[in-house]
Amino acid sequence: MRIVLAPMEGLADVHLRRLITAQGGFDWVVSEFLRVVDRLYPRSVFYKLCPELLQQGRTESGVPVRVQLLGSDPEAMAANAVRAVELGSYGVDINFGCPSRTVNRRQGGAVMLKEPESLYRVVRAVREAVPGDVVVSAKMRLGYADTSLMLDNASAVESAGATELTVHARTRLQGYAPPAHWEALGEIRRHLRIPLIANGDICSVADYHRCVEIAGTPDVMLGRGAVRWPFLAQQIRVNHADASQWARIIPLLQHFWTEINARHLHKDRVGRMKQWINYLRQSHPEAEALWRLVREEKSVAGLDALLAENMR
Ligand SMILES: Cc1cc2nc3c(=O)[nH]c(=O)nc-3n(C[C@H](O)[C@H](O)[C@H](O)COP(=O)(O)O)c2cc1C
């Protein structure tokens, strides 16, 4: 069983990665993506995206972090992959799943799923550029508009030399709308020799078991489920589902707020805090009540007072 914390741009930043991995259960984390166009980024860009590179490529609880690159230019992707690895990234992950229109217009992310050959070229170039013992993984969706090229895309990634493949069980057009199509993952699993990491809507221990049964792989990537319940990976590992308890979330929220204030890394600290509360309200009624109180608040001092008053 391998459990990976998903890359989530603008959400799972260094702070949330630290906090979620500190609850245990994760084998590694994938960073937010670095969009590669045609140049090699300076080291400072990598450190900003993934400050864990300054601490041996690990979160404070020791979980390795893998830099994710997004782009379609094989040479530029290869050059940036080499730099990521030199700086201490735990392998390199390549994003073939991003649904953003801006990214897709520039031939990066999920639009590449229309042309398996383009996946092959990028993975191959990265594989050849980094040392042989470095993990090169890819993350894709089931397809762009439909799943007709799903197996071709998976084969392209495998034959180009990727070490593992994560699949978010939706097409680009399906966006993030439920359900995730775990049965398609089963088809990909049977088609591949490299490990398949299943992803999409695994939000509880019961979901994990259902997904494993349907997709036929014990390896999973957790995204929003871990944001809403940071203890999820550990509970999957010990196969024990505690009822979600708001009382266990409160210290994490308090810690997060203190941290983003202390480090001043976020221009919009209030927005970041509200963003997490917004995610939490989908599984905790108490977060819904808190959300109603804080959603209009724009100042740090105002939010601070509201949190102090309402998170006890
Ligand atoms: C806010 C947000 C940002 C995301 N950013 C990325 C990203 O940078 N790279 C990537 O490969 N996937 C990204 N994803 C997709 C997730 O990694 C994951 O595939 C998706 O959320 C489904 O898994 P889940 O249901 O466990 O959240 C993002 C998802 C969300 C919600």
Side-chain angles (χ1 to χ4, degrees):
M1 172 199 293
R2 288 175 313 165
I3 307 182
V4 184
L5 180 60
M8 286 175 279
E9 203 243 336
L11 177 64
D13 62 358
V14 62
H15 302 294
L16 215 51
R17 291 197 292 267
R18 176 189 300 120
L19 201 138
I20 293 175
T21 56
Q23 310 318 313
F26 286 99
D27 291 291
W28 70 89
V29 182
V30 179
S31 79
E32 299 163 270
F33 67 80
L34 178 62
R35 186 140 72 93
V36 173
V37 183
D38 55 6
R39 69 184 183 114
L40 174 61
Y41 284 109
R43 289 177 172 75
S44 56
V45 170
F46 286 85
Y47 289 136
K48 184 156 187 247
L49 175 89
C50 184
E52 293 95 335
L53 294 174
L54 293 163
Q55 45 191 46
Q56 284 82 48
R58 288 173 184 266
T59 66
E60 264 148 40
S61 46
V63 177
V65 185
R66 182 173 304 163
V67 169
Q68 186 182 66
L69 302 177
L70 179 153
S72 55
D73 179 321
E75 286 74 37
M77 289 288 279
N80 283 285
V82 169
R83 176 148 291 173
V85 170
E86 279 170 4
L87 295 179
S89 174
Y90 172 64
V92 182
D93 189 64
I94 307 172
N95 179 326
F96 298 123
C98 181
S100 147
R101 276 181 213 287
T102 321
V103 164
N104 284 186
R105 221 179 294 121
R106 304 215 173 156
Q107 302 311 313
V111 75
M112 294 176 71
L113 299 171
K114 291 177 177 177
E115 200 196 333
E117 182 63 22
S118 69
L119 272 61
Y120 180 88
R121 282 194 297 267
V122 168
V123 174
R124 189 83 204 149
V126 170
R127 176 71 279 167
E128 283 175 349
V130 301
D133 59 346
V134 165
V135 172
V136 173
S137 56
K139 179 163 179 278
M140 67 176 219
R141 287 176 175 252
L142 297 177
Y144 188 84
D146 60 44
T147 60
S148 56
L149 292 175
M150 168 179 97
L151 298 182
D152 295 323
N153 280 318
S155 290
V157 166
E158 177 174 74
S159 58
T163 333
E164 64 211 20
L165 174 66
T166 301
V167 182
H168 174 190
R170 294 185 175 90
T171 63
R172 150 76 171 74
L173 287 194
Q174 286 163 346
Y176 292 95
H181 300 276
W182 295 333
E183 67 290 346
L185 301 181
E187 246 186 280
I188 299 176
R189 168 72 295 215
R190 289 188 289 278
H191 190 73
L192 288 181
R193 287 178 303 272
I194 57 173
L196 173 72
I197 299 175
N199 170 241
D201 287 1
I202 302 168
C203 298
S204 66
V205 176
D207 288 345
Y208 170 78
H209 288 294
R210 266 200 310 279
C211 179
V212 167
E213 199 184 317
I214 296 171
T217 170
D219 303 327
V220 292
M221 176 181 274
L222 308 177
R224 292 161 299 171
V227 171
R228 293 184 197 127
W229 187 237
F231 312 98
L232 181 57
Q234 184 57 21
Q235 293 193 346
I236 289 173
R237 221 165 260 293
V238 299
N239 194 18
H240 175 75
D242 278 344
S244 282
Q245 293 160 357
W246 181 239
R248 291 187 69 189
I249 300 280
I250 287 178
L252 304 187
L253 269 172
Q254 286 166 333
H255 189 79
F256 184 68
W257 178 237
T258 309
E259 180 141 317
I260 58 178
N261 278 306
R263 301 204 184 201
H264 286 280
L265 286 180
H266 278 290
K267 274 188 242 111
D268 181 14
R269 288 174 266 160
V270 171
R272 285 294 282 117
M273 188 65 179
K274 290 198 310 197
Q275 180 194 33
W276 194 17
I277 296 170
N278 189 17
Y279 269 90
L280 288 167
R281 79 196 171 105
Q282 290 157 43
S283 23
H284 306 276
E286 298 89 341
E288 176 67 43
L290 183 60
W291 170 251
R292 286 205 209 105
L293 293 171
V294 302
R295 71 177 162 194
E296 303 294 340
E297 185 53 60
K298 300 217 164 31
S299 75
V300 172
L303 186 59
D304 201 44
L306 281 172
L307 295 175
E309 180 64 21
N310 294 287
M311 284 198 320
R312 287 192 233 141

